[in-house]
Amino acid sequence: MSNFKELQRQVAAYDDKMGWKDRSSHIVLHLQEELGEVAREVMRDEGYKKEPMDKAGFGQEITDLLYLTFKLANQYKVDVDEEWEKMWVRYKTKKSRIEV
Ligand SMILES: [Mg+2]
């Protein structure tokens, strides 16, 4: 049981309040930007980058990704709760990549 509807509603309400009517392609670009920020923190954590990981920042970046994911879902009227349930049905029947 998931409850993404409320989160999708919060994102829609915030966008309405701010008067944001972003193009879908711009939301995707912002998603890529946020994913890059997540990647940077992971690379820091694994030592690929010298700076220490900003753990608080990492949480923020992951959440930015979620916000934008809901924003894009709203744009296309995707019911993430419904899709989440469908995903588990798919995953339960999914074969491991190493099984042939
Ligand atoms: Mg960010």
Side-chain angles (χ1 to χ4, degrees):
M1 171 77 184
S2 52
N3 192 8
F4 295 116
K5 261 186 190 57
E6 171 56 19
L7 299 178
Q8 285 188 260
R9 192 202 57 74
Q10 284 178 21
V11 168
Y14 184 69
D15 286 349
D16 283 348
K17 180 182 160 195
M18 301 304 281
W20 289 338
K21 301 194 185 313
D22 303 277
R23 293 178 63 114
S24 297
S25 59
H26 292 178
I27 299 171
V28 172
L29 287 172
H30 287 145
L31 271 165
Q32 290 177 315
E33 181 184 12
E34 295 300 340
L35 184 59
E37 291 169 354
V38 167
R40 182 185 59 218
E41 294 305 331
V42 170
M43 288 189 287
R44 285 175 171 171
D45 183 51
E46 293 184 351
Y48 185 77
K49 292 211 173 249
K50 287 186 175 153
E51 302 84 6
M53 179 188 199
D54 174 358
K55 289 204 167 113
F58 179 74
Q60 286 177 21
E61 304 310 348
I62 286 276
T63 308
D64 287 344
L65 267 180
L66 287 173
Y67 165 81
L68 289 165
T69 299
F70 289 130
K71 189 176 170 101
L72 190 60
N74 286 346
Q75 199 94 332
Y76 289 100
K77 311 253 184 283
V78 172
D79 181 332
V80 180
D81 275 334
E82 200 180 300
E83 295 303 326
W84 188 263
E85 297 305 320
K86 287 187 207 167
M87 177 194 74
W88 285 123
V89 171
R90 283 197 321 273
Y91 283 16
K92 280 174 193 161
T93 57
K94 200 173 187 172
K95 298 220 185 252
S96 163
R97 276 185 260 171
I98 55 171
E99 287 177 21
V100 186

